[in-house]
Each structure stands twice: as structure tokens, then as C-alpha cells.
Amino acid sequence: MGYRVSYCMLLNTKSIFSKTAVRSYRNNLFALKTFHRTLSICERNPKFTTSSFSISAEVAEDFFYKHGFKGKKLINEFNYNSYDKETVNYHTRLYPRIQVDDDPLLEALVKASTIEQVFGLIKEQPLNVKYASQAIATLWNLKKGYYNVTSNTESTNKDFIQVVKSHPQFWIAVDCVVKSASLLSDDTLTSMLLYLRKFQISMMEPSLQSLLCTALTRVKTFPLDSLAKWCLFSSTPNHGGRLMLPAALPAFHRHVNHCQSLTDLEMLSVCFVAIAPVVDKNGPTARIFIDHIIHLLDTNVLNQDTPLAALVGVLRALYQVAKSNPLSSCASIRILYLLQDSHLINNPSSMVYFDAIRRSWEAVNEPIGLVRKIENIVCSWLEKLDIQIEHINLLSHVSHIQDASSDRKKQLERHLMRILEKEQPIAIEPYLKQIFRIIRSSKISDIKLVDLYWNRVLQSLARRLGNKEEFVALLLDAAQWYMFFNNNLGGTYRSSNFENEILKWMDGMMNGDWSQPVQNVRFFCRLAAFVLAYGGHPTATGLLEKLVDIEEQLTIQDIFYISRGIQLARHWLRRPQLHFSQRDTGDLTLMLDRRSAFLLSSPASSTLSLTTTILHAALYRNAESYGSALPLNEAGLRECETRLNELTARVIRDLIFFLDRFRYLQFPIMDAIVDYALKKHEHLGPSLLVNIFVLCFNLGYSSKNLELLAPITSQSLESKENGMFGLFVLEASLALILSNRLSIKLVNEIFTVQFLDKLDLEVAACYSKATYPARVRRTLMELNRSVCIDMPEAGVPWFHEKYCQEQIHTNPPTSTNFHVDIHHYLVQILGNSNLIERWTYSPYYHLIDFEVHLNENGQPVVPSANKSKMSNDREEKIAILALLPSLFTTNYGYLMGLSLLRQRQLEILGYRVVGIPHHHWNSLALSTTQAKSSYLKQKLFRQHNV
């Protein structure tokens, strides 16, 4: 699939070499490169018997991916569709008002089909600024055609630019444009700046200063299309162009206030994408643009019938400030819902927009129907293709949904393995990020594939060593990918070769001295995070001290990266090293907590999303919720409570992660999450609904709205298309049992050979070999036990007795001072240790810390004396449970769901459960021996006058 280009391009190239003009350049790089490329094209494409041939449009799409839309007036040559078979029109007219008959030379330049034809035309005629500027525009169009015909690699693009720039006529044309800059119209002037940037000519060169100065004097009065080109030109990183962007702000404000059409809106979106990095994300420029978008949404100017180019262009612009501006996230969600309902997105030609849509969707994780629609379109297209490296972008759209099936995961693994093994490293290099996204989002656990991927990353880094800018950019990205990839294999995967090479390069960049002055804080923090994670102990000299020194310059993202590094360091170090590492990083952790607390109270954490990022980072670096982390966590949650109107599915996912790990029961937040799930359950993924319900179960939370959410969760589990991991289904079923909402239908689906076989396959191919199999076995046992006790009508047999016996043998109970203390007082009260049985088990293997039996008179009897007798209804069995801190929520001391379920089951089995919470036992009220003894007596004999 692709575009069709007239074959005359190659035919004319052939004729070039018969001209004396070209023979005079026989030693010139232009002629040599052109001849070599033409021959290589013919060798690779033997079927040149037709009048046209198909080419890829990836380069043309690059503009859209970077700038988010296809403008009608702004640089029409970028307006490509890689799934359209029609012939591409490469002609760009800088002077559309000049008629063909009035200027034949200008028309010839517009329609020139080869590079040498352009140079020949401007050489044979007196050159003026009109012809010179049109020649440069045509060369840019031929560059795209040449790039697509020859190869899709970045090196081919650079080769072509080098070929053109080596021709003397090119520089003659540039000089002519520069000298006559004041004569150019605004549109032509900004077009020239943009084209010359594409030809990699530094705007800081003296010969081009007049173009820049002329543009700067006019920028405040630029029409919208010229302003968009100026912003595109100025947004180029690393050449100082961004310093000029503030000059465009007055014109931008003026055009926002006078926006009259969707085309104008597309232009404004391009301008905002460029301007956003240099303005306050909550300042007047962002506010005026976002307010205008919201107005268009409120007045239904933007609706489900709006062209995708306009909607996606706005999405791309809003994405630039989505994390820092709550109104931006709100507007983005509304547009995503419009896209979900749009019939236009069903057209395969809409696939050029999918990357931009996905990026915005991943920032909010809703609506789920939109990504499923995209997934279906892409799947139907992939079925028609022989999947190759250029289809990686499409593959990524069927891998990032959490509810993807195991069959799809296997297919992705096969395609990726084939591509990584057979393709050349230079061909894989442009797709490294997309491949990483597929591997991580699909939770691929094939060690061979993963090792091969990181080796390909190292090869790409080694190839870029000669270009410092490109090398550093890929190094930082690769280090970040690796640090966050570790979760995929349950914290067990490491590539020593990759880590050692990255550490060596990073140390070389710092010249082995991490204590030197920091010139770029963002750069330094990302390096430091990787060194903390994988550099081992002791930490590089001066690194920790330098991080503490730059405290006031750290941003939320810096703290997030460093905290991840601390977490990984603790994970990998062995016990002796871990002790010293925790001691050495103590000051760093305190500093990060202090800085996080400051950012929480400042405008820097202006959104709920940023606040959850701070909490997420605190979870990374603090192994427990006590100590210095406790005030920070509580302050963060209080801040979250003030911003609950900013909830999205993505924020809820992050809050679930934090609340579950730190066992925080924050009622306003829980109420808001459950209410949000009830209102939008049709647009949320099944896994998110299940996670919300499981969180409520884990924290012992209950409410009327939670009862309403239970049947919705049950329906999600019963759906054949939920695609969830078996462990999610088991955990959610346990939560439903506590709420008495588990249906017989779901029970019958779980306890079948098919589902149990599915669990076996998941365990065999799981991404977390260290923990996942054990979690599945344990949860399945809990569910089997719960169904047998709470739902005997289901007729499910108890088939975990052997498993429980194995667990008793391999993991015997652990005694604590709390247990010893309770036993001591029980002996004092009952007068005989033989009346107390420790570490007993119910018929379904619930662990009972202490078991005491009372006869019908309320007198204690020896438990062992009644073992062989028939059950006596008048004899009371008491299960005394020492409730440890881990069984309660951190802040309110609520007993968590699994403990509540076990206590209810013991009561069904005929026990009277006596729970002794640790915080009661160690409270001031029970600080004396007499108080503890009286407390236990009351618990044991509450029905008897003893």
C-alpha cells in the first residue's frame, strides 16, 4: 500500500546523464549519488514496466505525527494518506496567483520532476527571488519523493540532503532568497524558513540572518497560515529557535479571538503545539486556547461529524499541557468521546490519525470503546498484510489494551521475534520505541525475545556514537525504558550486558566525576536514576551529595525518576549491601520527601494527575508507609480530595495502585471512585471496574453505591470478551462473595476444566515467574474454600486439601511477641495451658492462632479430649485470632476484606471468633496487666457470668 508516483521521475533521471551539464559534474557528489541511487532503485524494483509504482508514505506521515493535523492551507504537500492508492501531487505553488501563460518558467519549476531539471531551469535563466524560492519549494517536494522511492531509512534522507546541498545552484538560489528577503510575502518568507530548516541549514549562519530578522519584524502581524509555518520553524529543538517563539504570542492571541473556521482551528492547533513548551501550562496563552476549544465543544461546533483532521489536531495540541492543566484533560476526554461516536473513524484511511489518538487516550484511559474500535479496524487491515517492520505502528494498536487475549499475545511475540531476528539493525532503529511499547504493554515474557531487543538497542546506540545529540537522546530513552520494563517479569529480568554498557557510557559522559557542577538538571537526574538502580553499592562518588545539593531545582518528574532508581536499587541489592545502601540513601530519601511536600503545596502540582505522580514516586522510594513518608502521603491524599472533579480512568488507576499498596482507606476518594465507575461503567475497561471492586474489598470499604457496582462487576466478569487474566477473575470473585453477589453462573464458569486449563497456560507463560503462579494458586484455594462454605448450593467440591497440607509443611506459622503475650494471659485466665490449642486449623484449613472450647456450663475443656467425639452443639468452639497490623488499613484501622471473609467463614463453620486487634492490645487503655486480663475475660466469657 502507498502512493503512486509518476515513472517519469526515473525516466528523466536516465536522461540527466546524457546531458553535458551533468557530465561537467562527473566528480561532483551530486552526480555520483544520484547515479548510485538510480541504479539501486532499478535493482530493487525490477517491475518497472508500468507507468507508475507504489511507495510508502511514512516520511510524509512524519509531519502529521509531529504536528497533529493535515492543514488545508498550511503546506499542502504534507497532506498525504498512506492508505490511498491515488497519485500524489507533489506540486507546490508559492505564487498561485500567477497564471501559467504569464510565466512559463515558473510553471516549469513547479512541475519539475527531477532535481537536475530544477537546477537546469534556474541556471539557464536570470535568477530572481521568485524563481529561487519556487525552486527550493520544488526541491523539498522532490526530496520527499526521492526519500520514499529509495528507502525508508533516516540515512537515505541525510544522503539526499547532502546531495542537494553539494550542488552549487542550490546555494545560488539560497543566496538570492536571502538577499531579497524583504521582497517576500509573509507566506513565502515563512515557507522558505521552513524548507531551509528541512534541508538542515542552520538558522544561525550569517547568510540567513536577514531571513530571520525580516520574519521577526513581521511576526506580530503574520496571517494565521504564516504564523503556523513560523511556529513550526521555530519549534526545532537545539538550534535556539524556541527562544523566538514568545514573539509569536501576540499574533496567536489575536488569531484565537478571530478564529472563524475549522481550517483556522487546525492552524491554531499547530501553533499551540509549538508554543506550549515555552509558556506557562496554566497561564493566559494556554487558558485562552483551551477556553476557545471548550466554547466550540459547548456550542457543538466540534461534534462527531467534524473532520478527523480538526479533532485530532486539537487533541494533539491539548496533549501538550494535559498533565498540568485540568481543563485540557476535560476537553480531551470530550473530544475522545466524539471520536468514539464518529463514523469517520471507521474508514481505514483514518489510520494515519491513530497514533495521535492513542497518545491522548493513554493520558485518560477512556473511553474503552474508542480503542476497541481502533483495534478492530487495525486487525481487519493486518489480516490482509504480510506483516513487516513498517507495520510496527499498526501492531502497537492491538497490544496496548490491557484486556488483550493470550492468543493475540502469542501472535505478537511471533511477529516481533521474526522482525528482530531477520531485519537489519539499521532498519529496526526507527521502531525501537514502538517495539518497546508492544513488549511492555503486552507483558511479553519470552526471555530470548527480550534479550534480542535490548541487544538491538545497544547496536543502535553504538551506531550513533559519532553523533552526540542523537546518541544522548537514545541513551536517555533506552535507560528509561529499561528501568520501567523490569516490572514485566516480576522484578526478575536483568540484562547484564545492557546495564554495563549503559553505565560505562554514562560514566564517560560525566568523565567519572559525579560531583562536578550540574549544567542540565533534567539530564543529570535521568542519568543518576539509572546509576542508582543498577550501579550497585557503593554508589558513585559524589552522586548522592550532588542530588541533595540540587534539591530546589528538582521537578516532579525528576523526583519520579530518582525514586524509581532507589526502588530498583533496594530490589536488587542483597541484605548486607541493602543495609548500607539504605543508610547511604537516607538523606536523599528525606530530601525527596521534603521537596515533594513543597511541590504539593505549590502551583507545580496544579492537577490531580501531578499529585498522584508525587504519591506514586513516594511509593517507589519508601518501602513502608510509616516514618517520613506518612505525613507526605496524608498531605497528598488531602490534596487529591480537593481535586476529585478531575477524575479520569487513568487517575483512578494510579490512585488504586497507591491506595492498595499503602492500605489507605480515604473515604471521600473511595466514594468518588465508586461514583465515577457507576456513572461511566459503559466506557471503562473491565479490568478497571474489577480493580475498583477488588480495592474496595481489600480495604474493607462498603457503601450503598458499592452494592450497585457489584452486579456491574459481575457482568464484566461473565462477559466472554473481557480478556482479563485469570487472577483478576479469581480476586474479583472473592470480593463478590463477601458482598453476597457472586452468581452461580460465574461459579460454574470458573470451576470448569476449560478455565482451570486457562489458568495453567497463564502460569506456564506468565511474565512474573517469581510471584504470579503462587498468587494464582493461593487465590484459587481461597475462592474454592469460600464457595464451599458460603455457596454450598453451587455443588463445587473441596479440592485443595493437599495443597493446604503442603503449605502448612513448607510455610509454618510464625510466632510474634503479640502471640506470646496473648498466650501468656490466656494461661493466666484459664489456669492451664492444656486448655489452649495453638496453631490449629479449621476443616477448610483456616489458620486459628488459639482455640479454646467451653462446655454447656461455660467452663473450659481440653480441646483434644473432644476430638474423637461427635460434634456437641452445646460445646462452644472459640477461635482467638491475633490481628496483626498488616490485616488493617493504615490510617483508620479498618479490618481488610480477606480477614473479614475468613472470620465470617469461621462463624459459618461453628466457631465463635474472638479477634484481638494489635492496636487495642497495645493501647493506653490496656497498658496494665489487670486491664489486659479483664479485656480477654470479657472476650472469652461474654455470654457467661464468670
Side-chain angles (χ1 to χ4, degrees), residues 236-472:
T236 304
N238 302 322
H239 86 295
R242 287 186 176 179
L243 297 176
M244 298 181 288
L245 280 170
L249 295 182
F252 178 77
H253 289 190
R254 173 168 51 84
H255 287 301
V256 171
N257 293 328
H258 295 89
C259 179
Q260 298 293 328
S261 66
L262 290 179
T263 301
D264 290 348
L265 182 62
E266 294 172 5
M267 302 280 192
L268 288 171
S269 298
V270 169
C271 294
F272 190 75
V273 169
I275 290 171
V278 299
V279 298
D280 182 358
K281 304 300 186 292
N282 288 288
T285 299
R287 186 167 58 250
I288 191 175
F289 177 74
I290 297 171
D291 286 347
H292 182 66
I293 299 301
I294 293 175
H295 171 72
L296 295 178
L297 289 166
D298 291 340
T299 55
N300 206 35
V301 173
L302 292 179
N303 54 61
Q304 63 190 38
D305 297 321
T306 300
L308 295 184
L311 290 178
V312 177
V314 173
L315 266 186
R316 181 72 172 85
L318 294 174
Y319 180 78
Q320 308 305 312
V321 296
K323 201 169 182 66
S324 303
N325 192 307
L327 292 178
S328 174
S329 295
C330 177
S332 295
I333 289 177
R334 293 177 65 178
I335 293 174
L336 289 169
Y337 275 92
L338 290 178
L339 288 169
Q340 177 183 238
D341 298 331
S342 174
H343 66 281
L344 300 174
I345 204 169
N346 295 319
N347 192 324
S349 64
S350 66
M351 282 193 280
V352 294
Y353 302 99
F354 285 176
D355 266 10
I357 294 173
R358 184 187 65 189
R359 280 195 295 270
S360 294
W361 184 90
E362 288 176 344
V364 294
N365 280 188
E366 61 178 287
I368 191 66
L370 175 60
V371 289
R372 284 179 174 165
K373 183 180 286 188
I374 289 175
E375 178 186 22
N376 291 334
I377 295 170
V378 171
C379 284
S380 64
W381 190 259
L382 287 173
E383 289 174 357
K384 306 172 186 177
L385 297 175
D386 178 18
I387 297 176
Q388 303 297 332
I389 183 69
E390 59 267 22
H391 303 124
I392 287 293
N393 276 336
L394 295 180
L395 286 177
S396 67
H397 292 295
V398 299
S399 66
H400 74 287
I401 301 177
Q402 295 181 358
D403 304 323
S405 66
S406 58
D407 290 340
R408 178 168 298 164
K409 177 180 172 182
K410 291 178 182 178
Q411 293 178 18
L412 286 170
E413 288 182 6
R414 287 196 297 269
H415 289 310
L416 288 182
M417 180 63 77
R418 175 173 52 81
I419 289 171
L420 289 173
E421 286 181 339
K422 294 184 178 181
E423 296 288 345
Q424 294 296 319
I426 194 171
I428 295 174
E429 188 172 311
Y431 303 97
L432 289 174
K433 185 174 183 178
Q434 291 92 329
I435 295 174
F436 170 77
R437 182 184 293 129
I438 295 172
I439 292 175
R440 184 161 190 245
S441 60
S442 301
K443 299 187 181 298
I444 290 175
S445 56
D446 186 329
I447 301 297
K448 180 180 178 182
L449 189 155
V450 173
D451 283 340
L452 183 58
Y453 171 75
W454 293 117
N455 286 336
R456 290 286 186 261
V457 174
L458 286 178
Q459 290 172 355
S460 295
L461 282 167
R463 199 182 70 83
R464 295 191 181 195
L465 280 172
N467 187 320
K468 183 178 179 181
E469 181 181 323
E470 293 181 359
F471 172 77
V472 171

Side-chain angles (χ1 to χ4, degrees), residues 886-902:
S886 59
L887 303 179
F888 295 89
T889 58
T890 301
N891 47 351
Y892 286 107
Y894 274 49
L895 195 60
M896 297 174 70
L898 195 55
S899 296
L900 290 172
L901 184 60
R902 289 172 180 172

Side-chain angles (χ1 to χ4, degrees), residues 165-179:
K165 289 168 67 175
S166 70
H167 199 292
Q169 287 297 137
F170 176 77
W171 292 104
I172 293 173
V174 171
D175 289 340
C176 180
V177 169
V178 168
K179 292 176 181 178

Side-chain angles (χ1 to χ4, degrees), residues 206-233:
S207 62
L208 300 182
Q209 290 302 305
S210 60
L211 277 180
L212 284 172
C213 292
T214 303
L216 280 170
T217 59
R218 299 187 197 174
V219 66
K220 292 183 180 181
T221 60
F222 273 164
L224 186 51
D225 55 351
S226 300
L227 182 67
K229 294 177 187 178
W230 165 260
C231 289
L232 285 177
F233 157 73

